Amino acid sequence: MAEAIEINNPTVTRIMPRVVDIKNAKILHHNHLVLDNVNFEVRKGDFIYLIGRTGSGKSSLLKTLYGDLEFTKGEADVCGYNLKTLKKSDVPYLRRRLGIVFQDFQLLGDRNIFDNLSFVLQAIGWTDKNKIKKTIEESLEKVKLSEKIYKMPNQLSGGEQQRVTIARALLNNPELILADEPTGNLDPETTNEIMDLFYSIFKETQTPMVFATHNYQLIEQYPGIIYMCAYNSISRDDSHFTR
Amino acid sequence: MSDELEQKAPVKRKPNFVFAIISIAMILFTIGLFSFGVFTLQKQIKEIKESVQIDLNLKSDVTESQKTALANYLKKQNYITKITYKSKEVAAQQFEKELGQNFTEILGSNPLYDAYIINLKSEFSNPDFIKDVKSDFLAQAGVQEVQYSDLAVQSTGTTLKPITIGIIILSTIMLVVAFLIIDNTIRLMMYSQRFLIRSMQLIGANEWFIIKPFIIKSIISGLISAAIALLFLSGIIYLTINKFSLQFVSQDFVILLFIAIGLTLFGILISISSTYFAVNKYLKVKLDELY
């Protein structure tokens, strides 16, 4: 079990710069109201859980943060991008500021791990092959998957695939990591491995992380700020704060 | 994952790409064969139309200068493809050869005329045009009469016109069907890639960065398909000419080159356009619509 860190103390994090700032917002999915009157912020050094039952709006909030759902009601700023005025053509640039980890990994199944990670770096304009290779090797080293660099995604276990996804999310030093049920498809032992990895990265880099999960056990093991999604609303729950 | 499991895990292959290439190659081959047949037929039609002769019989007292002026006049007419001068002596020899009798001796003189024999370009070889130019020819100094076979002109017009229209309609249908089949094949291939496209979007790739490799792949598949189609087409043409001795089959290098370039361009352009529109479609749709 990882130990809690001081940076998660709300009184400490309030002085850190905001990465996400949502005020009086409505989160919609296909014009259907999912969350109303959303006031949500993420600051550097925050380790945040979005908890709630399936369909409570956790994933919709995350999708809104990375520009997959349209934002129309309220005010929202993510990594300096105003979601209300965000053009479709700017969505890729917003996503490049983020590291996104998905429950279903979203690896490119037609190419090996090296090419999966190389794709991300080339997509953001990297051309130096040596630099790309070095960065990928370092990134895979962090998630302890160096020996799998030339394997295809379908040759890896679920836990390994999720570690590749974390390596991918870390590639371009994101300002914020969003993880949508990152351990939802994994067994308890692998879940702990993945969460240990997230937590160690968090302690090392102070990159703010937002986890959508319905696994309440994680909160006890890896403490953080909790936002509860229920009945079309989201509220901060400081009663679970663990030092 | 255990080493044993890793070794057993199948490495993902790319059957869709191969199937698409084969499908497109087969369609391009069919178009190529059809085009080749159409060109051969058109060549035959052109030859038949240009074989229609118009005889400009000259007056018995025509002067050399009038003949030269007439020859110059004919050379200037852009609807004429061939001009042959036949003196009445040569005409008599040919006629005697056909008859097997020396008719000039029987008649005591040669009743035939010196003549210019012309052939019209195929596009002008029709009854209405010939009627029009006949009066022009008769107006030239030294021309006694203008003769041509009404039956030949009429029959080339009435028989060949529906064939030409038929070819145009069939070609159009063929191209549309080919376009739809290739487009559908590529769309199906892209359908299987829709989640890959979605993943690329989610990790911050912009649209052009996602589309570009698919376009490059489509150019390669178009080129390979065209190469396969041309290989089979060349084989069929070779067999037709050399093994089955069908000499009427066109051996015109320019036509073959035209078909080769046309097929390659068609294959590449349709691959590019179908790929572009298919990928673009999946870039625009929401996740729920991908299922």
Side-chain angles (χ1 to χ4, degrees):
Chain A
M1 179 176 154
E3 62 182 75
I5 56 170
E6 185 62 22
I7 200 81
N8 266 312
N9 186 324
T11 56
V12 176
T13 56
R14 292 319 89 195
I15 58 169
M16 301 300 278
R18 280 195 189 93
V19 183
V20 174
D21 190 11
I22 299 181
K23 284 184 182 133
N24 304 320
K26 288 182 194 293
I27 302 298
L28 305 169
H29 189 238
H30 293 315
N31 295 323
H32 172 72
L33 181 68
V34 181
L35 292 172
D36 197 10
N37 194 26
V38 177
N39 289 289
F40 176 72
E41 65 171 33
V42 182
R43 290 174 184 260
K44 190 165 168 57
D46 279 350
F47 194 85
I48 294 177
Y49 290 102
L50 292 176
I51 59 169
R53 296 174 66 176
T54 303
S56 60
K58 309 182 296 288
S59 293
S60 295
L61 178 57
L62 288 189
K63 282 179 180 175
T64 306
L65 293 181
Y66 60 77
D68 202 34
L69 288 181
E70 209 175 345
F71 182 85
T72 51
K73 310 280 183 189
E75 297 301 324
D77 189 283
V78 179
C79 299
Y81 284 88
N82 183 337
L83 294 189
K84 208 168 178 181
T85 56
L86 185 71
K87 291 179 195 162
K88 200 169 177 352
S89 57
D90 285 331
V91 172
Y93 300 100
L94 164 66
R95 289 178 184 166
R96 291 172 195 182
R97 301 263 190 108
L98 309 172
I100 312 174
V101 180
F102 306 92
Q103 181 179 1
D104 56 355
F105 319 131
Q106 298 285 351
L107 292 171
L108 309 178
D110 65 338
R111 61 200 75 188
N112 65 31
I113 302 308
F114 177 85
D115 291 337
N116 260 275
L117 303 188
S118 169
F119 180 87
V120 176
L121 294 175
Q122 287 177 355
I124 59 175
W126 287 35
T127 50
D128 185 336
K129 287 185 176 172
N130 291 329
K131 200 177 162 193
I132 288 173
K133 192 167 187 286
K134 191 166 173 279
T135 306
I136 290 171
E137 284 171 349
E138 284 171 2
S139 191
L140 286 175
E141 183 69 33
K142 278 182 198 166
V143 298
K144 298 182 175 56
L145 273 181
S146 300
E147 76 280 11
K148 309 281 184 180
I149 189 165
Y150 296 114
K151 294 283 181 193
M152 297 295 283
N154 65 330
Q155 291 178 293
L156 303 184
S157 67
E160 286 171 332
Q161 289 190 53
Q162 195 57 291
R163 276 151 66 191
V164 174
T165 313
I166 295 168
R168 184 179 66 186
L170 295 172
L171 272 177
N172 50 341
N173 298 316
E175 292 175 39
L176 169 68
I177 289 179
L178 302 174
D180 191 358
E181 303 277 8
T183 58
N185 282 348
L186 306 175
D187 61 70
E189 194 183 337
T190 313
T191 296
N192 285 342
E193 281 175 26
I194 294 296
M195 287 308 293
D196 279 342
L197 179 61
F198 269 122
Y199 223 69
S200 63
I201 292 164
F202 173 68
K203 282 195 285 186
E204 186 188 325
T205 62
Q206 293 304 308
T207 307
M209 296 186 180
V210 180
F211 286 82
T213 182
H214 53 244
N215 185 347
Y216 295 92
Q217 279 188 326
L218 292 180
I219 301 162
E220 300 299 325
Q221 290 176 275
Y222 307 92
I225 300 164
I226 298 165
Y227 278 87
M228 173 78 88
C229 297
Y231 308 110
N232 294 112
S233 69
I234 179 170
S235 56
R236 184 166 166 157
D237 180 0
D238 286 330
S239 63
H240 282 75
F241 177 74
T242 316
R243 295 207 37 156
Chain B
M1 181 184 273
S2 70
D3 287 344
E4 190 189 358
L5 191 57
E6 278 176 17
Q7 281 164 8
K8 282 181 183 172
V11 175
K12 208 162 189 178
R13 298 186 193 286
K14 298 169 182 171
N16 288 328
F17 186 58
V18 176
F19 289 144
I21 285 176
I22 293 169
S23 305
I24 297 170
M26 284 168 66
I27 295 157
L28 291 180
F29 168 71
T30 312
I31 295 175
L33 202 59
F34 181 77
S35 308
F36 185 70
V38 168
F39 277 121
T40 301
L41 195 60
Q42 277 189 332
K43 195 182 165 206
Q44 294 294 311
I45 290 172
K46 190 180 175 200
E47 281 174 10
I48 292 168
K49 280 187 166 182
E50 290 183 354
S51 68
V52 173
Q53 286 185 354
I54 301 175
D55 294 353
L56 275 63
N57 294 332
L58 306 180
K59 291 175 180 170
S60 50
D61 59 350
V62 67
T63 63
E64 283 306 314
S65 62
Q66 283 175 328
K67 283 184 191 174
T68 310
L70 181 60
N72 289 335
Y73 169 79
L74 293 174
K75 279 176 194 167
K76 283 179 192 166
Q77 307 312 310
N78 63 354
Y79 51 82
I80 296 173
T81 184
K82 190 177 165 193
I83 305 165
T84 314
Y85 175 75
K86 193 191 273 183
S87 68
K88 61 182 183 181
E89 289 77 20
V90 172
Q93 278 173 9
Q94 287 176 348
F95 198 39
E96 281 168 5
K97 210 173 178 180
E98 283 173 26
L99 283 175
Q101 288 181 327
N102 191 341
F103 73 97
T104 50
E105 272 186 15
I106 297 166
L107 294 173
S109 64
N110 183 356
L112 300 175
Y113 301 100
D114 292 332
Y116 278 106
I117 299 159
I118 60 168
N119 296 78
L120 301 186
K121 287 179 182 171
S122 60
E123 58 268 36
F124 298 102
S125 185
N126 62 70
D128 292 339
F129 186 79
I130 293 174
K131 268 180 199 164
D132 285 347
V133 291
K134 183 180 176 181
S135 52
D136 293 342
F137 293 148
L138 286 171
Q140 300 302 311
V143 176
Q144 171 77 24
E145 61 180 355
V146 175
Q147 283 187 330
Y148 58 90
S149 167
D150 266 335
L151 186 65
V153 174
Q154 292 285 356
S155 63
T156 52
T158 51
T159 312
L160 299 180
K161 197 172 179 183
I163 292 176
T164 309
I165 292 168
I167 287 171
I168 292 167
I169 292 169
L170 267 177
S171 303
T172 310
I173 294 170
M174 186 85 184
L175 278 178
V176 171
V177 170
F179 177 85
L180 291 176
I181 294 174
I182 293 177
D183 185 60
N184 209 33
T185 305
I186 291 171
R187 278 172 191 274
L188 275 175
M189 187 171 75
M190 287 300 120
Y191 178 77
S192 68
Q193 306 278 302
R194 66 198 187 283
F195 288 108
L196 186 79
I197 293 167
R198 163 83 182 164
S199 298
M200 289 173 170
Q201 267 185 309
L202 288 175
I203 53 183
N206 64 26
E207 292 191 357
W208 176 238
F209 191 81
I210 295 170
I211 291 175
K212 196 171 66 177
F214 286 106
I215 295 288
I216 292 169
K217 217 170 179 180
S218 73
I219 293 171
I220 294 169
S221 67
L223 271 173
I224 296 172
S225 302
I228 294 170
L230 288 173
L231 196 70
F232 277 95
L233 192 63
S234 310
I236 291 283
I237 293 170
Y238 176 82
L239 284 176
T240 312
I241 294 169
N242 296 298
K243 298 287 176 190
F244 304 116
S245 304
L246 299 175
Q247 295 304 323
F248 67 85
V249 168
S250 176
Q251 296 177 51
D252 190 333
F253 177 73
V254 177
I255 287 177
L256 292 175
L257 190 67
F258 179 77
I259 290 174
I261 293 171
L263 274 188
T264 309
L265 283 178
F266 183 74
I268 291 173
L269 289 177
I270 195 171
S271 295
I272 289 176
S273 68
S274 300
T275 302
Y276 177 81
F277 287 114
V279 176
N280 215 30
K281 177 188 160 189
Y282 294 120
L283 285 172
K284 304 284 182 235
V285 301
K286 300 275 179 202
L287 175 65
D288 303 349
E289 292 161 359
L290 290 178
Y291 290 98

